[in-house]
Amino acid sequence: MKTVWDKLDETEKENLTTFNEAYRQFLSRAKTEREFTSESEKLAKEAGFVSLKEVEKLEPGMKVYEINRGKNIMLFVMGRQPVKAGMNILGAHIDSPRLDIKQKPLYEKDGLALLDTHYYGGIKKYQWTCRPMALHGVVCKKDGSVVPVVIGEDPKDPVIGVTEILVHLAAEQMKKTAAEAVEGENLDLLVGSIARKDTKEDAVKANILSLLKEKYDIEEDDFLSAELECVPAGEARDFGFDRSMIMGYGHDDKVCAYTSLRAILDEKNVPERTSCCILVDKEEIGSVGATGMQSRFFEDVTARMLDLQGDTRIVDLNDALQNSRMLSSDVSAAVDPLYESVFDMKNAAFLGQGICYNKYTGARGKSGSNDANAEYFAKVRRVMDDNHVMFQTCELGAVDKGGGGTIAYILANLNMDVVDAGIAVENMHSPAEIVSKADVYEAYRAYQAFLKDMD
């Protein structure tokens, strides 16, 4: 079985190692969509990108970006052709499964203080217990101030987590299915056990509130307008004795988002067609809301750029969209040798064999899928081969075994050519996902080739 590793010379291996170390560090500090957007803006500015709001006229080679509500970002490198001639688009999502803190979360029970949660995205609930967790997010106060919160990432910080019943008393639990063994309302976080001495009722809860007031100047009511996410604590780590993989939280889909981001940031020449990178929120819950792919943000920004080029008709926007080409960059399921039965092994993704192309996703009868046109995928194949990019084609599991979806169909609804392209992941949607460093680097090369050569 030939892999990406087999074709690399020593210089390429060094480049691969350097790229992946930068990704590992980025993943460790950008665990939420807000953090990913903020970190992306920093890198964009370093690479010479400026806010589209500061631009009065767009010229070939200009690098611009736009941010929506701090939770998604789009970047563009203007091409020689006008925007209405179409763009080469990389799109990925930057949200990941997690535990969200409810609006009225803090309570005391049996002498312990807990935070009530609601899980976000599709998870195996039992995987999120008995592990150190960190709290990330913002608390927005009535006076308009926004308080950033990160607890559990600094080695000096305390961590929190979801408890589980001991095996000695789990006889009834062990009779349940895996889906029922841990209930969603039992994914509450243990956060304290010391009572405040001057308080008679809910003294442990009162002590936690006093600590939050002291450190962040927030009151209990401020939880009402907070976005706090509980994620696995600690850095992503090299995985395997040979350090060939990375284990960490949020590869889905930050691994595709980061490689797409780097592909457009590293673009050195003026492209023929405008290059675009879309990084969006809310994919894990249906791409809904103002910061999801189903919002009008992408179309609005495209219309604004057309206006700056003097193209103000609705047909100009329609032309720009239908003339565009897109890789919808999302992860795919890597074959696990312990669970081969859920895969069609002829049409499955393997770690180390390069970027994955899913002509279609969906469930069972391709329900909810974008099924890419064969003519378009032939062009994508040509670009990959011309640039010596190793790729594989795959499906998300065997027929009738499950399935999944991406943002691809949303852009296809705008009448543009789209195909799913991403990186194979083990342990997908768990707190500890695994990717191959070879695939990470090959996806970066694939995205670069697509931006440069797709016509």
Side-chain angles (χ1 to χ4, degrees):
M1 184 180 291
K2 188 175 181 180
T3 69
V4 173
W5 299 104
D6 298 324
K7 74 185 185 87
L8 300 176
D9 59 27
E10 289 306 312
T11 299
E12 290 169 326
K13 287 180 181 177
E14 290 179 8
N15 292 339
L16 178 151
T17 298
T18 300
F19 186 91
N20 275 277
E21 177 57 20
Y23 168 60
R24 186 194 66 78
Q25 293 181 21
F26 187 96
L27 183 67
S28 298
R29 64 178 182 267
K31 293 185 177 181
T32 71
E33 63 280 6
R34 287 179 182 271
E35 291 167 346
F36 198 106
T37 299
S38 177
E39 292 290 331
S40 297
E41 183 180 23
K42 291 177 186 176
L43 293 179
K45 289 181 176 180
E46 291 173 3
F49 284 72
V50 298
S51 172
L52 183 62
K53 294 182 176 68
E54 301 174 8
V55 175
E56 296 182 356
K57 185 177 181 181
L58 290 173
E59 302 286 353
M62 290 186 68
K63 300 178 178 182
V64 296
Y65 72 91
E66 187 78 330
I67 290 176
N68 182 22
R69 294 172 169 83
K71 290 189 283 188
N72 62 279
I73 183 171
M74 290 192 293
L75 306 97
F76 302 85
V77 178
M78 306 311 299
R80 293 186 179 89
Q81 297 181 25
V83 172
K84 67 180 179 181
M87 298 177 282
N88 291 344
I89 303 171
L90 303 173
H93 68 91
I94 54 178
D95 59 315
S96 300
R98 59 182 187 257
L99 304 180
D100 281 347
I101 307 304
K102 290 185 179 182
Q103 288 183 286
K104 295 181 179 179
L106 186 60
Y107 68 99
E108 180 177 333
K109 189 174 184 180
D110 299 332
L112 300 174
L114 300 102
L115 285 175
D116 202 357
T117 74
H118 193 138
Y119 64 90
Y120 173 98
I123 65 171
K124 293 180 178 179
K125 294 185 282 291
Y126 62 82
Q127 292 181 332
W128 293 74
T129 66
C130 306
R131 62 173 59 246
M133 304 287 280
L135 202 62
H136 292 236
V138 295
V139 177
C140 301
K141 302 173 70 172
K142 289 190 294 183
D143 64 5
S145 61
V146 178
V147 182
V149 174
V150 178
I151 304 173
E153 297 296 352
D154 190 297
K156 296 179 181 179
D157 281 354
V159 293
I160 55 179
V162 181
T163 59
E164 246 275 53
I165 190 168
L166 63 163
V167 67
H168 309 71
L169 300 179
E172 291 301 316
Q173 183 194 47
M174 301 286 273
K175 296 176 183 178
K176 298 179 180 180
T177 66
E180 299 168 332
V182 176
E183 297 179 1
E185 283 292 357
N186 284 345
L187 290 174
D188 292 356
L189 300 157
L190 179 59
V191 298
S193 63
I194 297 177
R196 182 168 171 168
K197 293 182 179 180
D198 60 354
T199 305
K200 292 183 178 180
E201 293 185 7
D202 290 342
V204 180
K205 172 184 173 181
N207 188 50
I208 295 300
L209 287 172
S210 66
L211 292 173
L212 293 174
K213 176 67 174 177
E214 179 183 348
K215 184 168 184 177
Y216 294 104
D217 192 29
I218 57 177
E219 309 283 352
E220 184 172 11
D221 284 352
D222 291 328
F223 280 116
L224 294 173
S225 52
E227 289 183 4
L228 296 171
E229 304 173 13
C230 188
V231 299
E235 292 190 350
R237 301 285 297 275
D238 282 352
F239 190 80
F241 293 151
D242 56 4
R243 296 182 178 270
S244 61
M245 297 165 278
I246 297 174
M247 172 181 273
Y249 163 72
H251 286 313
D252 181 9
D253 184 36
K254 296 178 179 68
V255 67
C256 295
Y258 179 80
T259 44
S260 297
L261 173 68
R262 280 289 303 272
I264 197 167
L265 293 183
D266 294 346
E267 196 156 8
K268 304 302 182 187
N269 300 316
V270 179
E272 185 63 25
R273 289 159 56 89
T274 292
S275 296
C276 171
C277 178
I278 306 172
L279 304 177
V280 294
D281 183 24
K282 299 293 191 288
E283 190 275 343
E284 297 294 357
I285 58 171
S287 296
V288 294
T291 55
M293 193 66 248
Q294 293 196 61
S295 83
R296 296 293 300 272
F297 181 54
F298 170 63
E299 294 165 80
D300 291 345
V301 172
T302 301
R304 200 174 313 147
M305 293 197 304
L306 287 166
D307 180 57
L308 291 172
Q309 292 186 333
D311 297 315
T312 58
R313 303 174 302 167
I314 188 66
V315 292
D316 295 327
L317 176 59
N318 292 339
D319 286 345
L321 297 175
Q322 69 182 16
N323 290 333
S324 293
R325 311 283 184 265
M326 182 185 183
L327 294 184
S328 173
S329 305
D330 207 342
V331 297
S332 195
V335 167
D336 187 326
L338 304 180
Y339 299 96
E340 285 187 353
S341 63
V342 298
F343 296 91
D344 170 6
M345 298 298 286
K346 303 184 304 300
N347 293 282
F350 295 85
L351 289 182
Q353 293 195 24
I355 188 171
C356 307
Y357 285 100
N358 291 67
K359 186 177 181 296
Y360 47 84
T361 54
R364 295 176 172 83
K366 299 186 181 180
S367 177
S369 169
N370 166 64
D371 196 344
N373 289 338
E375 294 89 344
Y376 173 55
F377 189 52
K379 294 180 180 180
V380 173
R381 288 175 54 208
R382 172 186 57 79
V383 171
M384 297 300 107
D385 288 343
D386 288 351
N387 287 273
H388 308 291
V389 173
M390 182 177 286
F391 69 91
Q392 51 188 321
T393 58
C394 57
E395 298 181 20
L396 191 61
V399 177
D400 287 342
K401 290 295 184 181
T406 70
I407 64 173
Y409 76 95
I410 302 168
L411 279 300
N413 286 344
L414 300 177
N415 198 27
M416 71 174 68
D417 284 321
V418 186
V419 67
D420 283 295
I423 294 168
V425 176
E426 296 274 14
N427 301 349
M428 193 189 298
H429 279 214
S430 81
E433 297 173 321
I434 300 170
V435 296
S436 166
K437 292 181 179 180
D439 295 335
V440 174
Y441 190 65
E442 203 70 356
Y444 165 68
R445 294 186 61 246
Y447 297 148
Q448 283 187 310
F450 177 83
L451 292 180
K452 177 173 63 76
D453 288 345
M454 177 55 64
D455 55 29

